[in-house]
Amino acid sequence: MKVQAQICMVLNLDKCIGCHTCSVTCKNVWTSRRGMEYAWFNNVETKPGVGYPKSWEDQEKYRGGWVVKNGRAVLRHGGRAAVMSKLFSNPSQPQVNDYYEPFTFDYERLKESLRTRTAPSARPYSLVTGRLMDTVKDGPNWEDNLAGPFAKRRADPDLRGMDTAGFEAFEASFMYYLPRLCEHCLHPACAASCPSGAIYKRAEDGIVLINQDKCRGWRQCISACPYKKIYFNPARSKSEKCVFCYPRLESGEPTLCAESCVGRIRYMGVVLFDASRIDEYACADEKELYEKQLSLILDPNDAEVIRAAREQGVADSFLEAAKKSPVYKMMKDWKIAFPLHPEYRTMPMVWYVPPLSPLGGQDIPGDFFAKLDQMRIPVRYMARLLTAGDEKPIRRALMKLMALRAYMRSKTVEGCEAPAVPPELGLSTRQYEDMYRYLAIADYEDRFVIPTAPAVHEQTDLFSLRAGLGFEDEEGCRTLFGGR
């Protein structure tokens, strides 16, 4: 057993209001530089929809993630020879039109125009060419709130094979918001594909970073990442990505997207995992990937796990944080959070609590809550997004969330002091109380349990933990090309 610590995030989709505060905050801090005008380390998509970049989930087109061949996980993008042959021509890489042409408006014309008979207007101009644009045709959140015809949203890869004939009618339509950022995977395809060995995963907290001194701008990582969360900066000829706000994490503070979230949907904490089983579990059957990844997460209260973690250098501050971790409760204890597209086999560590939804059609008299199959959002759709198509874990999680609502209604509205809990769901009264405390309007200390970097306690230089400033990557970091 090789115990390592990972700082990860859980997002409660039931509470996301699609305000984009997280995206704007991240944009202002991390991607407001020249060459990154089109890049959004954090973005919020409306589902169903093709997302940003367009159809990023279509791995037949983009060739991201891993596939299993001869019992081994290999890059869908190709092995060493295939990557080398694509260094100067990469047909599976997203193009400008798959993102959008970044633009702003000519506000100076508004301020400097003389008095005219008609009001002046601010015309859009391209941040790439600097020229005026006839019209704005696309953007990173172009499909917000089901904008546009359903014919375009039907291109969502998660809708393939589903009967969408009735979704165009308002009574049968559905939507929810999906905030996305780098998944900081346990089995990152981006790191394995980098010819320069510039991408690595920090051993102390699991954050995936790009050493900017080593990056040569080959852009193979962009193709290999199935979530398309690495961006190329043409002004610097470097690839850049979400760094999980690691300077803040080292000081015990959450990421900016989590800190600024209006709906309080984001939770951050530490989980301990068995790194020795990653390669084995990444090759599991597609429908077993969620359960396999869940089994990698270790019990932070287990004496054997704690002993092994200390022997292998995990700091005591991380062990204590793991015991109080809100993400561990949602992932492992309550089993209501799930990884995004586990079938990509990257073992992502940003997980999601699936949303409940209003009734489809007419309300049922005398029934306060919808039955599971009467909800607007099809369980099959969420299963394709979060459990590689396996509906059982999603159904069980949604039933727990519905039971929680019924439990709290019975307690607060009907005045029942000790409401009954359904034993078949495997949760105790205490767990329902804890779930309510965390999922309703949780305190700051409940949502974010983040240890300071070990170097803070040792009074050593924090720069040794940081990437992108010319420091060497971790010893033993394996890449597709064997380098470091």
Side-chain angles (χ1 to χ4, degrees), residues 265-277:
I265 76 164
R266 301 187 186 229
Y267 304 79
M268 297 192 69
V270 175
V271 297
L272 305 177
F273 66 94
D274 183 3
S276 65
R277 311 303 294 271

Side-chain angles (χ1 to χ4, degrees), residues 64 74 80 83 110 117 222 252 286 415 425 443 469 482:
V74 297
R80 181 182 302 189
V83 169
L110 288 181
R117 296 185 63 182
I222 299 175
E286 194 170 90
L425 297 180
D443 292 336
L469 300 174

Side-chain angles (χ1 to χ4, degrees), residues 19-37:
C19 64
H20 295 274
T21 303
C22 52
S23 301
V24 173
T25 306
C26 179
K27 184 72 175 175
N28 287 338
V29 173
W30 293 109
T31 61
S32 57
R33 309 178 308 285
R34 189 167 66 91
M36 298 296 282
E37 293 88 353

Side-chain angles (χ1 to χ4, degrees), residues 105-314:
F105 293 95
D106 186 9
Y107 295 111
E108 289 298 319
R109 185 169 182 269
L110 288 181
K111 294 189 293 184
E112 298 178 359
S113 291
L114 299 177
R115 185 171 182 177
T116 60
R117 296 185 63 182
T118 58
S121 62
R123 292 183 60 188
Y125 68 90
S126 170
L127 290 174
V128 177
T129 64
R131 299 175 181 173
L132 288 173
M133 302 169 64
D134 292 333
T135 182
V136 176
K137 298 179 180 179
D138 213 343
N141 56 339
W142 202 248
E143 298 174 325
D144 260 11
N145 304 311
L146 305 186
F150 183 77
K152 290 188 176 181
R153 296 196 300 278
R154 191 181 284 119
D156 184 340
D158 293 321
L159 288 175
R160 287 177 180 169
M162 292 181 63
D163 182 9
T164 61
F167 291 163
E168 297 186 37
F170 174 77
E171 292 79 7
S173 63
F174 70 94
M175 61 161 278
Y176 60 93
Y177 300 109
L178 179 69
R180 294 204 307 115
L181 64 157
C182 173
E183 299 287 329
H184 296 279
C185 307
L186 299 181
H187 192 227
C190 59
S193 69
C194 179
S196 305
I199 304 179
Y200 67 100
K201 187 175 180 66
R202 298 207 305 191
E204 58 274 3
D205 54 18
I207 300 174
V208 178
L209 298 170
I210 303 177
N211 188 321
Q212 296 292 290
D213 283 352
K214 289 188 174 183
C215 179
R216 298 294 179 264
W218 294 118
R219 288 174 270 186
Q220 300 304 310
C221 54
I222 299 175
S223 297
C225 173
Y227 305 98
K228 294 298 170 278
K229 277 299 172 182
I230 300 182
Y231 301 88
F232 181 70
N233 186 332
R236 299 179 61 244
S237 294
K238 304 278 188 180
S239 292
E240 300 189 28
K241 64 178 288 295
C242 160
V243 299
F244 228 29
C245 294
Y246 66 82
R248 291 176 57 88
L249 296 185
E250 290 169 357
S251 300
E253 299 177 352
T255 60
L256 286 163
C257 58
E259 178 85 58
S260 64
C261 178
V262 174
R264 301 186 184 184
I265 76 164
R266 301 187 186 229
Y267 304 79
M268 297 192 69
V270 175
V271 297
L272 305 177
F273 66 94
D274 183 3
S276 65
R277 311 303 294 271
I278 289 176
D279 290 340
E280 173 192 348
Y281 287 176
C283 299
D285 182 81
E286 194 170 90
K287 293 294 180 66
E288 298 177 355
L289 285 169
Y290 159 66
E291 294 292 347
K292 290 291 188 182
Q293 185 173 352
L294 191 66
S295 67
L296 282 177
I297 300 174
L298 303 173
D299 183 355
N301 296 299
D302 188 315
E304 180 63 24
V305 171
I306 294 172
R307 183 192 62 78
R310 284 178 174 153
E311 288 179 355
Q312 294 167 41
V314 178

Side-chain angles (χ1 to χ4, degrees), residues 276-402:
S276 65
R277 311 303 294 271
I278 289 176
D279 290 340
E280 173 192 348
Y281 287 176
C283 299
D285 182 81
E286 194 170 90
K287 293 294 180 66
E288 298 177 355
L289 285 169
Y290 159 66
E291 294 292 347
K292 290 291 188 182
Q293 185 173 352
L294 191 66
S295 67
L296 282 177
I297 300 174
L298 303 173
D299 183 355
N301 296 299
D302 188 315
E304 180 63 24
V305 171
I306 294 172
R307 183 192 62 78
R310 284 178 174 153
E311 288 179 355
Q312 294 167 41
V314 178
D316 283 342
S317 60
F318 277 72
L319 296 179
E320 289 303 313
K323 295 177 182 178
K324 305 174 185 177
S325 173
V327 297
Y328 177 83
K329 291 179 173 64
M330 296 181 189
M331 292 175 172
K332 191 84 171 184
D333 277 354
W334 307 332
K335 293 183 175 63
I336 59 171
F338 304 93
L340 184 64
H341 286 298
E343 70 272 19
Y344 298 161
R345 302 179 186 274
T346 61
M347 296 193 173
M349 293 308 287
V350 175
W351 287 32
Y352 296 86
V353 177
L356 295 172
S357 56
L359 284 168
Q362 300 297 317
D363 291 348
I364 301 174
D367 197 350
F368 294 108
F369 301 104
K371 298 299 187 290
L372 192 57
D373 289 318
Q374 294 168 334
M375 291 189 172
R376 286 179 180 266
I377 304 173
V379 174
R380 183 181 178 188
Y381 182 84
M382 283 188 286
R384 287 185 171 186
L385 194 73
L386 300 174
T387 54
D390 186 2
E391 295 184 17
K392 291 181 181 178
I394 298 293
R395 287 181 174 275
R396 195 166 182 83
L398 291 175
M399 288 173 66
K400 291 176 182 178
L401 296 174
M402 293 166 63

